[in-house]
Amino acid sequence: MKKGNVITISDVAEALGVSKTTVSRAISGKGRIGEATRQKVLAYIEEHDYKPNVIARGLAQSKTFNLCVVMPEDYALVDLPFFQEVITGIQEIAGMNEYDILLCICQENDITGLERVVRNRKVDGIVLLRTFLKDPQIELLLEKKIPFVTTGSTAYRKVKQVDNDQQSACRELTSILLMRQMKHIALLGGSESFVVNQNRYKGYQQAYQEAGREVEETLVYRNLESCAFMDRAVEEVLEKGADCIVCMDDAICIQVLRKLRQEHIKVPQDIRVASFYNSSVLENNIPSITSLSFNARELGMEACKNLLAQIEGETVPDRTLLSYEVVLKESTK
Amino acid sequence: MKKGNVITISDVAEALGVSKTTVSRAISGKGRIGEATRQKVLAYIEEHDYKPNVIARGLAQSKTFNLCVVMPEDYALVDLPFFQEVITGIQEIAGMNEYDILLCICQENDITGLERVVRNRKVDGIVLLRTFLKDPQIELLLEKKIPFVTTGSTAYRKVKQVDNDQQSACRELTSILLMRQMKHIALLGGSESFVVNQNRYKGYQQAYQEAGREVEETLVYRNLESCAFMDRAVEEVLEKGADCIVCMDDAICIQVLRKLRQEHIKVPQDIRVASFYNSSVLENNIPSITSLSFNARELGMEACKNLLAQIEGETVPDRTLLSYEVVLKESTK
DNA sequence: CTGAAAGCGCTTACAG
DNA sequence: CTGAAAGCGCTTACAG
């Protein structure tokens, strides 16, 4: 027995009068081994609570049994619970496969954290929680040929991605609003440097098309980066006679609601409002807000499955789209 | 050169016509080595971008260069940004010391995730982000004799803990309110199964004592676990003539503000309000809310330093208290 | 079916 | 000052 009374494979082998090879095989199930010896080894292991050293196994197999999750450092506050849920989903699947999660918090323009993890070969694969149109993280991983997957969509070719079907979701939401007799639906959106915002916009366009109508471009505001711009946009669409405002994310929706309240404009009486993701921040709003609902945990789980499959050398689809729900609430009544 | 064109210590040794021992020494700085050879090795390494395999080094040294951060799965939404900041602080210090962060999301009554990490010996030490009065995580780590530290206080003896000085902070906040002529300060607090809430209460008592006054026990509500209880408490303290409500955490404060708004009671005209932590959720409230301010990132950094010191075998203080600020805003004017 | 031996990529007494 | 060798705790061709 070695130090710290942690028992090793040699201890087990010695105690049983068999070779380390045999013990290893009994545990892994790989290679031929007699059922009797196998049971004997397993019994001993169970009784003496032997746990193989995962690090050592990793070294021998050139694996780490770690996955890296890269999380942005500069997230919008409303996005945090979403990321958290995704991570929880990832961990759930990872844990079931005896993998652990290495966390890497990276800023957009400083990926030294990720570089260190890669350089130190501490992980077998990586999940990118958020990506950009031009993304140094993706370029690094592509170059190093390390298995990775993104949650959310990216425009990079040949990158495995798992995402909610943002476009269809937005198409459906918009369609429903149009069917409910809303005639002038304004769209307020955030930075176009996120692919997700582009996809959402496409869905909005599509819905108009399917309804045989032209998008009213004057009611569409994109790249709204600050509260001041949002307030301004609200004022303008009100002047232009919009009867509904669709917010491309909840950060925008919060600001829109604040502005409307300030202007004493009532929802849904004076104007309808819908948002693109029902975060808990909006959950308690009065009136309740119509929005899309995505399952963040499921997103994490699927991304993790995809990554593990890649690590196992299986071929995985380039793009996996998950479903969504349109949740109709009072704000569009 | 081995597979994947990753260069190893043997490659370096061979190329230079020296032993692996020498290369190892040049890198680590341990053991005697001639300055000339040392420079030669270092130059080669630099030029050929050799990076030692951290896993292999770990195996040889019985180290992992990983730290585990245990995060609760069932947090209040307002706490999430705080945890996130703490983790960022931990990672910052960890990264500077070539350590990585293994994330472990655990529920209160299910610590299998932590058990796995411990069993697999994937980390050299652990940070517990939140603890309970009776805490299975602490008991596990104590038994396994694994270095760990908690952020926030615990009642367990012999446990290393880093915390903001909650008690002093709350004493000072309460003192200031008393000096500002508030006569009947109600206190609404959350679960007493968190040590932090006990400490905050102590500070409140202390302030009264120092002012030569008795705590008005009828204005103190603790263990407020649901919004219904909070609403009820608000109604009661209003009836009892409180002129100020101190909320022991921001989740409570949010509910109190909602209730007051609903009852058309104006802050600060009709009643003053203060909270115990200025989370971003309250940041944009109108009126702005007086509260305590703690530096979450610093908390994470200090906790990490403490843990690394423990791992190095240094003796560290049982308890480290960090400072705070009282931020006076409109809600107590 | 089982085992001796080499190997994963490092570190570190020990000897010189 | 430098190196051969053993060791960290596993796995896995290869041979029997």
Side-chain angles (χ1 to χ4, degrees), chain A residues 9 20 24 50 53 57:
Chain A
I9 197 172
K20 294 190 296 176
S24 176
Y50 165 68
N53 183 319
R57 171 186 295 166

Side-chain angles (χ1 to χ4, degrees), chain A residues 170 173-174 177 184-192 196-198 200-201 204 208 215-240 242 244-260 271-277:
Chain A
C170 297
L173 172 62
T174 310
L177 296 175
H184 307 288
I185 303 179
L187 181 70
L188 308 202
S191 169
E192 294 287 319
V196 57
N197 286 335
Q198 302 182 2
R200 287 172 177 167
Y201 180 51
Y204 169 87
Y208 263 84
V215 169
E216 297 176 68
E217 293 292 352
T218 58
L219 290 180
V220 175
Y221 289 77
R222 304 164 78 190
N223 285 307
L224 259 23
E225 302 273 23
S226 76
C227 290
F229 284 134
M230 297 176 201
D231 286 355
R232 186 66 195 280
V234 171
E235 290 168 13
E236 294 189 12
V237 302
L238 286 173
E239 280 172 22
K240 293 175 189 163
C244 179
I245 298 179
V246 172
C247 306
M248 265 215 239
D249 64 56
D250 287 0
I252 293 179
C253 191
I254 287 168
Q255 187 58 28
V256 165
L257 290 173
R258 186 175 294 159
K259 176 71 176 172
L260 291 175
I271 193 162
R272 291 7 166 281
V273 171
S275 190
F276 272 16
Y277 174 62

Side-chain angles (χ1 to χ4, degrees), chain A residues 301-320:
Chain A
M301 294 184 5
E302 289 306 319
C304 191
K305 285 180 195 164
N306 179 303
L307 183 57
L308 290 175
Q310 284 187 59
I311 292 172
E312 296 302 322
E314 299 167 24
T315 45
V316 299
D318 279 352
R319 191 141 186 257
T320 306

